[in-house]
Amino acid sequence: LAKTTQPISMDSYEGQEVNITCSHNNIATNDYITWYQQFPSQGPRFIIQGYKTKVTNEVASLFIPADRKSSTLSLPRVSLSDTAVYYCLVGDTGRRALTFGSGTRLQVQP
Amino acid sequence: EAGVAQSPRYKIIEKRQSVAFWCNPISGHATLYWYQQILGQGPKLLIQFQNNGVVDDSQLPKDRFSAERLKGVDSTLKIQPAKLEDSAVYLCASSLGGAGTEKLFFGSGTQLSVL
């Protein structure tokens, strides 16, 4: 399974764009990149998933360069409610569940 | 659509006691997962069921933890006897199929404190 490396924490202010980068140097050909968000006292929540280039939904964008050795989760114009832990997971469509790392703790300030 | 239901929400026990957690996944979801989340860490998979069969229980401490999935729907996770290091949030999740890339839907978890 590909190992992922993320910053432990990030700080931002309301209204700014936040980019969280995840490194996954040994990603395999069949691996997808998935991001989850976790608020205090809640279980993680799926945000976005991609394989290559760019994926966008109503919550975030995911940028994946051609070599796929890293990925960047982009949150446009964050608000206080985006304060959470963000997890990057890498894995394939096999039966094995994806592994969560320690995540990135994002703190958004007014 | 109802989400993943877990109970109890909180549990406080003394070491060497036993405890059980219950999970009801989203209707129609074939795969059910139990995770343990220690404060400050990411969730760690304990056991994965597909229908009522075990897919992965490699990280389940089988000398004290047990889990079952009744008729491929509800599931219970039991700890007997509990140790201090079992203090954590126990999260249940479900997914429609069994692929590793499928979207997981998590419950709010059971916070266990072992004194």
Side-chain angles (χ1 to χ4, degrees):
Chain A
L1 291 174
K3 179 179 170 61
T4 60
T5 303
Q6 305 176 231
I8 295 174
S9 64
M10 296 181 67
D11 291 311
S12 183
Y13 292 95
E14 282 192 293
Q16 290 188 331
E17 178 184 71
V18 171
N19 296 309
I20 305 175
T21 297
C22 179
S23 172
H24 28 79
N25 290 319
N26 60 339
I27 189 169
T29 303
N30 296 331
D31 285 344
Y32 285 73
I33 300 150
T34 310
W35 286 81
Y36 281 81
Q37 173 191 55
Q38 186 176 25
F39 298 116
S41 302
Q42 294 185 26
R45 181 178 73 121
F46 174 93
I47 301 177
I48 199 166
Q49 184 180 78
Y51 182 79
K52 63 179 180 180
T53 63
K54 177 184 174 182
V55 180
T56 298
N57 62 22
E58 65 278 5
V59 176
S61 294
L62 178 59
F63 297 92
I64 305 168
D67 67 5
R68 304 201 325 121
K69 293 184 183 299
S70 66
S71 59
T72 299
L73 176 72
S74 181
L75 305 172
R77 297 179 297 282
V78 295
S79 64
L80 296 176
S81 63
D82 292 314
T83 293
V85 179
Y86 293 81
Y87 297 97
C88 165
L89 297 85
V90 173
D92 61 26
T93 55
R95 296 176 73 194
R96 190 166 182 171
L98 302 184
T99 299
F100 286 81
S102 297
T104 297
R105 191 170 302 271
L106 173 66
Q107 180 71 48
V108 180
Q109 300 181 27
Chain B
E1 178 184 272
V4 175
Q6 289 189 247
S7 68
R9 189 76 176 88
Y10 303 94
K11 191 72 177 178
I12 301 173
I13 62 172
E14 296 191 349
K15 60 183 179 183
R16 291 187 289 274
Q17 286 188 323
S18 62
V19 64
F21 312 125
W22 174 82
C23 173
N24 180 231
I26 293 173
S27 177
H29 279 196
T31 306
L32 184 148
Y33 312 76
W34 282 103
Y35 286 85
Q36 179 193 59
Q37 186 170 26
I38 293 171
L39 187 65
Q41 299 181 18
K44 171 187 153 186
L45 180 69
L46 292 176
I47 189 166
Q48 176 184 350
F49 292 96
Q50 184 157 2
N51 297 311
N52 59 357
V54 175
V55 173
D56 183 1
D57 63 356
S58 58
Q59 299 191 90
L60 185 73
K62 298 180 186 63
D63 58 333
R64 298 184 301 107
F65 286 63
S66 64
E68 61 179 359
R69 189 172 184 196
L70 309 172
K71 299 180 181 178
V73 181
D74 292 7
S75 178
T76 55
L77 176 69
K78 297 180 182 178
I79 308 176
Q80 182 179 13
K83 293 185 175 181
L84 296 177
E85 59 261 35
D86 298 331
S87 294
V89 176
Y90 291 85
L91 294 162
C92 179
S94 68
S95 65
L96 188 61
T101 51
E102 291 211 23
K103 185 188 299 187
L104 299 181
F105 295 83
F106 282 83
S108 295
T110 296
Q111 185 170 326
L112 174 66
S113 296
V114 182
L115 308 178

